[in-house]
Amino acid sequence: MKLAKIYDPTLYETDIYALWEQSGAFSPSGKGRPFSLVVPPPNANGNLHMGHALSFSVQDIAARYHRLKGERVVFVPGADHAGFETQVVFERALEKQGKSRFDYSREVLYNQIFDFVDRNRDNFQTQIRKLGASVDWSRYTFSLDPKVVKQAYATFKQMWQEGLIYRGERLVNFCTFHGTAFADIEVDYQEEQGHLWKIRYTLSDGSGELVVATTRPETMLGDTAVAVNPKDERYKAMIGKTLKLPLTQREIPIIADDYVDVNFGTGAVKITPAHDPNDYQIAERHDLPFVTVIGFDGKLVHSVPKAFRGLSVLEGREAVLKQLEQEGLLVGDEELTHNVGHCYKCGTVIEPLLKEQWFIDIKPLADNALQAIREGKIEFLPQAKQTQLERYLETIRDWNISRQIVWGIPIPAFQNEEDPDDWIYDERVDQEVITLNNKHYRRDADVFDTWFSSSSWPYTTLGYPDESDFKEFYPLSLMESGFDLLYPWISRMIMLGLYVTGGIPFSKVYLHGMITDAQGRKMSKSIGNVTDPMETIASFGSDALRIGVISGQTPGNNQPYVEAKVIGGRNFINKLWNIARFTEGLVENFDQTEAKAVSAADHWILLQYAKTKTSYVEHMDNYRFSEAFETIYHFLWNDLADWYIEASKIEPNPTLLAELLRGSLPLVHPFAPFVSETIWQTLELRQDSLLINQPFIDLPMGNEKDALQFEKIKNLVSEVRSLLTATKAKKVKLYYHNEPVVASFATIINQLGGTIGVEEAEAGRGIALTGSGFSCWLDIDQESIDRYAAHLEDLISVEQKRTKQLQERLNNPNYVKLAPKELVDQTSSQLTEAEQTLEKLLEEKIRFAPRR
RNA sequence: GGGCGCUUAGCUCAGCUGGCUAGAGCGCUUGCUUUACACGCAAGAAGUCGGGGGUUCAAGUCCCUCAGCGCCCACCA
């Protein structure tokens, strides 16, 4: 035996992967149509988690399936520098050494992080190999590779020239701990218990006062107005007057704006344009000045009154409140639940701060994307995500692409040292100052938002615009990603793809849900509920993990990680292995491939194979991987192993069995690549070939008539087994009368049914079989017959119910009139069948009514 | 406040364009040393498809409504 008694994945997986990789099987080949997908690049610095396992599984199943279909598959791997994410991890490492990023120059820090990431590269690539991802390593792209940077610059330049990029001082979401701004969608909002304080402001002319309500009293130092609703009778008379801003000597106007809600708070809102997005908008409308009170370090700035200078936001709040109280201006304090934005990494409260940044005027891009999506150029799985994306694009706001970190692509823009408004585009970002026409320009200290460059992923990885990959494989056939990236990544790939290449970046998007723990909670280190896919692979094998995450999986829905499903996968692999072992024991020569169906079982299994393959292909083509797997799972386990192999023990057809194995392995391969290839190689199912790039195999078609005969025998066997179990009868003979089919299958029936003989009889002996359409009897003993009577009652009531249902359906004239004819015909033949069975059962009942 | 989803067996979930006795895996019950497999074999039990209404010959599937759960976006200072 070449196949070991037990399949131990750890003994084979590494070698099998190396075999594929070295043979060049991962590169596109042949003359089929192109099929392309590009891996959403995981963070180069991190370990792969369960979500990656799912994502790679979905992609690899698609890739392998299309490869087996003979298509030219390109499956491009990559890694993301994940700017901010990685810098944070690195800073933590520095912290452990008692250092911080401020101890190094930008260049030194960048190089250190580069080395740090580079050191982790092997680990990261090993993990992808362990998952069995059939990616083409020769096309591996890192998101800081020159071609990616080059493309980011080209796009930035083009947008700048076309006026789609502007530099402006806006309120940005700023983390004062990490010292960088974020895009709107990167801010993590949490509901919190806070206070609504009420503060009295008096009118400058002494004619009265009003009370404002605020959750952030410290920002009052930057107030430049108080707004009221123009319809609010309480304040109508005050509009246009000025107030004396407490704690400072400034005078600020009372303005009217519809934004103010009459029913909230006091109906009077202090306006701090430099520290609140809504106030910012009001200030724009009313041409109010901007007064900054909080700095980028999170402390109150020098221009605030001396008492508050240098205090943190919270200290400042306390101090301001205390002062107000002393002056008798604090007139209320209510509890309030409100949403507060936090840095998604460190939890620091995000401060809206005024900062000059580069923005993309997103509306024109979003409109193009919307049009393409509405025209149905991109198919979404699940479909509902399309609607969600459309809503997002309809309301999208300009995109801040500047980040104040070092780990990223430097923005190729320089500012005239003498004229702050003079910005030029230049790619000499390795120099801090450049000279042009005798003018000195200083490099922008910022780098691009990682998503800006990674949004070009579909075409930069393929070598836009000139390389043959781009020409052949763009747009991608499939983009697979977690649905959490719908806005930050998918939407931007569509927008930038259309903008840069003029075409959609991919024609299909498959969005998987999040993998949670068994209780449906997010996996997180702090809860300690994380399952490491590498550990699962070590325990159960890569194939088992893949089956575990894919079974029952549908796009768009979260799914818990359930180890039982992985174990189920492992058990299936064991089954497959043993099917192969049984086959190996029977087959002398795997080279012989001219299989012929001889027995009814042969015809039956071939027909089952053909049906399985048809439905498998349909599911696969529609990305219903879980269902496709179920199809092949049940074919192998229930049809092939439970029936055909059992029948083979009596009437073997080794050549056909070998062909069935050969034909099944490609169908299993996308789901269990390692074990299927291991079997293929070990048994040398085809000389000098790899399963990974075998085309799907057509087996001869089974004859329906013979197949049906086996189906009947199968039913007979099932009925025999069922009756034997119900009656607990032992050592029973099956008799038949004038049934040539039963006679010819006597050995199989006897063996599979578990009887001690199948013999011809002149007349009925024992209890009659009622379900399988043969004149057969089980010769059971008297004691068992009493149990049979009870069992009969169950069977009768089932059959009566069924008969009644069918009758009712046929008694409905509208059904007969309106339903398709095939359906009606089917119903009536079912009724006939059910009635016959019922009749037989009732006859049996009369014969074996329990004696009272 | 707006949007999107989910609710099907004890558990985790499938169920594609409405159609035949609603499925799977795990778990459960009963019985098996059947020489490929106990990671197994055989036989079973278990669901008023969240509630209500409607459309239809026919609804888990389509429409309306209510309830519970979840996610996303916006946000009342």
Side-chain angles (χ1 to χ4, degrees), chain A residues 332-535:
Chain A
D333 176 0
E334 288 172 16
E335 296 264 301
L336 176 80
T337 309
H338 62 154
N339 268 337
V340 180
H342 293 265
C343 171
Y344 73 103
K345 273 291 153 203
C346 66
T348 302
V349 172
I350 291 292
E351 288 296 338
L353 298 179
L354 276 179
K355 190 158 179 58
E356 266 209 18
Q357 305 272 276
W358 294 102
F359 288 88
I360 294 180
D361 176 10
I362 206 77
K363 189 90 171 53
L365 302 181
D367 285 346
N368 278 343
L370 267 172
Q371 194 188 340
I373 291 167
R374 288 186 177 132
E375 283 168 3
K377 289 184 178 161
I378 301 172
E379 189 189 342
F380 289 81
L381 290 167
Q383 237 233 307
K385 294 290 168 194
Q386 180 179 331
T387 325
Q388 224 166 298
L389 184 57
E390 285 179 22
R391 290 293 122 72
Y392 173 71
L393 289 171
E394 283 161 7
T395 55
I396 194 165
R397 298 202 301 204
D398 285 356
W399 176 13
N400 170 13
I401 54 170
S402 298
R403 293 294 178 277
Q404 292 73 52
I405 56 178
V406 305
W407 183 233
I409 301 175
I411 295 178
F414 288 74
Q415 185 179 30
N416 187 334
E417 292 198 320
E418 259 120 65
D419 177 5
D421 290 334
D422 180 17
W423 281 89
I424 56 166
Y425 176 89
D426 201 291
E427 292 180 15
R428 286 176 285 170
V429 292
D430 53 333
Q431 300 176 39
E432 248 189 281
V433 179
I434 58 171
T435 309
L436 209 72
N437 303 329
N438 288 329
K439 286 184 268 186
H440 300 300
Y441 289 87
R442 183 167 291 277
R443 181 181 66 193
D444 183 355
D446 294 347
V447 303
F448 285 127
D449 176 1
T450 305
W451 295 111
F452 177 70
S453 50
S454 61
S455 297
S456 69
W457 209 238
Y459 48 92
T460 41
T461 50
L462 295 178
Y464 170 82
D466 295 323
E467 282 180 36
S468 57
D469 269 5
F470 176 76
K471 288 170 187 160
E472 178 175 4
F473 292 113
Y474 191 85
L476 301 175
S477 315
L478 176 66
M479 188 72 236
E480 203 284 344
S481 154
F483 66 53
D484 54 328
L485 297 187
L486 182 63
Y487 300 157
W489 195 43
I490 301 289
S491 74
R492 288 160 177 175
M493 280 194 286
I494 297 172
M495 289 189 282
L496 286 192
L498 285 165
Y499 176 72
V500 173
T501 73
I504 50 164
F506 32 73
S507 47
K508 197 179 293 273
V509 184
Y510 187 108
L511 295 160
H512 66 257
M514 303 295 109
I515 296 209
T516 64
D517 72 359
Q519 282 87 50
R521 297 173 304 179
K522 201 181 162 189
M523 282 191 184
S524 91
K525 281 181 196 151
S526 54
I527 305 179
N529 59 351
V530 178
T531 308
D532 177 357
M534 294 304 127
E535 282 172 19

Side-chain angles (χ1 to χ4, degrees), chain A residues 300-316:
Chain A
L300 299 189
V301 298
H302 192 74
S303 54
V304 303
K306 214 172 177 179
F308 308 115
R309 272 176 213 164
L311 297 180
S312 74
V313 168
L314 286 181
E315 290 163 350

Side-chain angles (χ1 to χ4, degrees), chain A residues 538-645:
Chain A
S539 310
F540 303 106
S542 188
D543 293 337
L545 169 64
R546 184 183 295 225
I547 291 168
V549 295
I550 216 71
S551 50
Q553 196 272 345
T554 42
N557 289 325
N558 288 351
Q559 54 176 334
Y561 171 77
V562 181
E563 193 177 80
K565 289 204 291 179
V566 178
I567 293 174
R570 193 266 321 260
N571 294 352
F572 169 72
I573 287 157
N574 174 256
K575 193 62 166 178
L576 176 62
W577 187 256
N578 277 290
I579 288 171
R581 269 168 42 87
F582 179 84
T583 307
E584 186 191 2
L586 216 58
V587 176
E588 279 168 28
N589 183 1
F590 278 99
D591 290 342
Q592 212 181 329
T593 57
E594 276 181 45
K596 264 200 209 106
V598 180
S599 68
D602 293 347
H603 285 286
W604 176 81
I605 193 70
L606 285 172
L607 203 65
Q608 292 302 112
Y609 175 83
K611 281 184 192 167
T612 300
K613 205 174 146 199
T614 306
S615 106
Y616 172 91
V617 165
E618 205 194 315
H619 287 312
M620 287 298 257
D621 284 342
N622 289 293
Y623 292 81
R624 296 193 293 262
F625 297 145
S626 173
E627 287 177 75
F629 176 69
E630 227 175 272
T631 316
I632 185 65
Y633 176 99
H634 286 115
F635 169 74
L636 283 167
W637 201 313
N638 303 95
D639 296 342
L640 188 69
D642 291 347
W643 288 100
Y644 186 72
I645 283 185

Side-chain angles (χ1 to χ4, degrees), chain A residues 48-61 131 512 515 531-534 536-537 542 545-546 549-550 561:
Chain A
L48 299 186
H49 57 241
M50 230 11 120
H52 291 119
L54 171 61
S55 178
F56 274 103
S57 296
V58 170
Q59 294 176 71
D60 196 52
I61 288 167
L131 291 174
H512 66 257
I515 296 209
T531 308
D532 177 357
M534 294 304 127
T536 305
I537 289 175
S542 188
L545 169 64
R546 184 183 295 225
V549 295
I550 216 71
Y561 171 77

